[in-house]
Amino acid sequence: MGAGVLGFDPGLLQAIADRLGTPAYVYSANLIRAQYNALHDALHGIRHRICYSVKANGNLGVLRVLKQLGAGADIVSVGELRRARIAGFDPDGIVFSGVGKTTAEIEEAIRAGVGFINIESTSELATLTSVANEIKLPARVGIRVNPDVAIDSHPYTKTGEKTAKFGIPFDEVVTVAKRIAAEPRLVLRGLAMHIGSQITDVAPYHRGAIKLIELVTAIRASGITTLEALDVGGGLGVRYHNEKAPTPKAFAEAVVPSVGAAGLGLLCEPGRYLVANAGVLLTRVLYRKHAGGKEYVIVDAGMSDFVRPSHYNAHHEILPLRDGKRPEEVVNVVGPICETGDFLALDRKLVAVGPGEVLAVLGTGAYGFVMSSTYNQRPRAPEVMVDGDRYYVARQRETLDDLIRGETAEPTTWYKA
Ligand code: LLP
């Protein structure tokens, strides 16, 4: 495995696996920086802010790298808000989306001075208005619009079609904007969309941006002059296998002209684009087995550590760290979890690997650790940040004690109604 394939030094990965054990997530600060800088450069023609989508990978070490580059943050919960603030993100550059923000979350976001609290329904607007009035603080809001734009992606990650639960329906947006403008404590700063994830064709971004500009024109015509930015969301696709990932330049060309012509700043919320290929999951081969005409490679990472293959049928490349010419074979790479759906790869052509050796599962920097669980009572993996030729443990491996924290076998307090 050449360093060029991965962007990681295989010797360093092996050292990490030997020191910390497996499974372990490893991230590269330099690969994250390269992705950020490429997008930042492509957007040079417009006032912009790249608001990293914390849900893709909320590790504080990852957030620190992005914060140092000047990124803002896209969050969906107070848990993510807390992480963003610990990492030092400027609240003004934080965008808070989500269809189900609680009253407590809205209050905390207002108190923190979040730059864009994106409203996703009229009943959420009512809650936000009453919270702002109750605590007597101003709230800076955006409207997340449902632009009714289709994309070609996994059905679970399409979010911009009319029937989706996300955003305010297109034809209600102007009315909602007027309601916001009529509230003395609220200021409408922007319109936002997020049409889905792992988008490989930039045309839907263009269509969506044009629709948002239509709304900007109508909102301005109603006398509202507070709009500052248009947020075109996240979703930029990456190459996991043989997908054609859009270039930052193509993305910029799809959105910058219309947003620029409207005299607005541009926000975007990439998650996967920034971190997916900056991360690998290290896993060790435990056993080999032949069963029912299939060759099995049994490894120590399962669906509890990395769920994308079994949840989305996602293809992630798997490479052994050890070099050398070996015959290829077709194998199922499976984990230790007691489910048939527990696999990292099925019918995959792989060089012959044997017990004890370490494999790297590629493209696991986004929606990897954050979607992991403790199913089957397996402590979650550690997360390691590599910077140049050094690394540090950005999150320790969970312990068995962590898994039972807060539980009790003997009742301590009984309650009645
Ligand atoms: N903004 C909003 C409002 C979002 O809901 C998301 C992702 C993003 C930005 C970032 O999207 P990205 O640039 O990472 O595609 N677990 C799935 C992906 C779910 C994405 C959810 N929302 C997966 O593993 O493919």
Side-chain angles (χ1 to χ4, degrees), residues 53 55 74 144 194 197 235 269-272 308 312 367 371:
S53 192
K55 69 177 78 62
D74 155 53
R144 175 158 172 192
H194 171 72
S197 204
E269 309 171 354
R272 186 189 320 263
R308 297 197 78 252
Y312 307 109
Y367 306 109
M371 291 181 80

Side-chain angles (χ1 to χ4, degrees), residues 258-341:
S258 48
V259 180
L264 294 169
L266 178 85
L267 300 175
C268 58
E269 309 171 354
R272 186 189 320 263
Y273 161 83
L274 291 169
V275 293
N277 285 322
V280 296
L281 171 62
L282 300 180
T283 182
R284 210 175 276 270
V285 179
L286 295 172
Y287 304 110
R288 291 292 313 249
K289 171 168 175 171
H290 182 86
K294 297 278 183 195
E295 282 298 331
Y296 283 94
V297 175
I298 300 167
V299 298
D300 65 2
M303 64 190 287
S304 56
D305 302 292
F306 186 56
V307 78
R308 297 197 78 252
S310 62
H311 192 55
Y312 307 109
N313 221 359
H315 181 111
H316 286 262
E317 293 291 320
I318 301 177
L319 294 171
L321 295 187
R322 184 163 66 81
D323 244 339
K325 264 207 151 345
R326 293 183 253 179
E328 284 191 330
E329 52 181 349
V330 175
V331 296
N332 288 345
V333 182
V334 301
I337 301 292
C338 298
E339 299 222 15
T340 303

Side-chain angles (χ1 to χ4, degrees), residues 158-378:
K158 297 179 180 189
T159 51
E161 289 173 41
K162 185 153 75 193
T163 50
K165 69 174 177 176
F166 300 98
I168 305 254
F170 190 82
D171 51 9
E172 292 174 25
V173 172
V174 178
T175 311
V176 171
K178 288 182 193 160
R179 266 209 236 167
I180 293 170
E183 289 296 334
R185 289 194 207 279
L186 309 192
V187 50
L188 178 64
R189 299 182 70 205
L191 299 185
M193 66 175 185
H194 171 72
I195 53 179
S197 204
Q198 183 57 9
I199 301 170
T200 51
D201 169 16
V202 297
Y205 284 110
H206 180 68
R207 284 199 289 276
I210 297 289
K211 289 188 115 174
L212 293 198
I213 296 297
E214 236 178 81
L215 293 172
V216 168
T217 307
I219 289 170
R220 283 176 170 163
S222 76
I224 299 170
T225 55
T226 53
L227 290 177
E228 294 169 48
L230 214 138
D231 177 350
V232 296
L236 259 183
V238 302
R239 186 181 175 93
Y240 286 113
H241 180 211
N242 50 15
E243 303 91 335
K244 269 215 169 72
T247 60
K249 183 165 174 277
F251 171 71
E253 284 169 0
V255 294
V256 168
S258 48
V259 180
L264 294 169
L266 178 85
L267 300 175
C268 58
E269 309 171 354
R272 186 189 320 263
Y273 161 83
L274 291 169
V275 293
N277 285 322
V280 296
L281 171 62
L282 300 180
T283 182
R284 210 175 276 270
V285 179
L286 295 172
Y287 304 110
R288 291 292 313 249
K289 171 168 175 171
H290 182 86
K294 297 278 183 195
E295 282 298 331
Y296 283 94
V297 175
I298 300 167
V299 298
D300 65 2
M303 64 190 287
S304 56
D305 302 292
F306 186 56
V307 78
R308 297 197 78 252
S310 62
H311 192 55
Y312 307 109
N313 221 359
H315 181 111
H316 286 262
E317 293 291 320
I318 301 177
L319 294 171
L321 295 187
R322 184 163 66 81
D323 244 339
K325 264 207 151 345
R326 293 183 253 179
E328 284 191 330
E329 52 181 349
V330 175
V331 296
N332 288 345
V333 182
V334 301
I337 301 292
C338 298
E339 299 222 15
T340 303
D342 176 32
F343 57 84
L344 296 178
L346 295 180
D347 295 321
R348 180 71 60 85
K349 201 186 262 181
L350 208 64
V351 296
V353 294
E357 77 173 289
V358 178
L359 311 180
V361 187
L362 309 193
T364 48
Y367 306 109
F369 178 86
V370 286
M371 291 181 80
S372 65
S373 72
T374 57
Y375 185 40
N376 282 201
Q377 294 309 302
R378 293 162 38 82

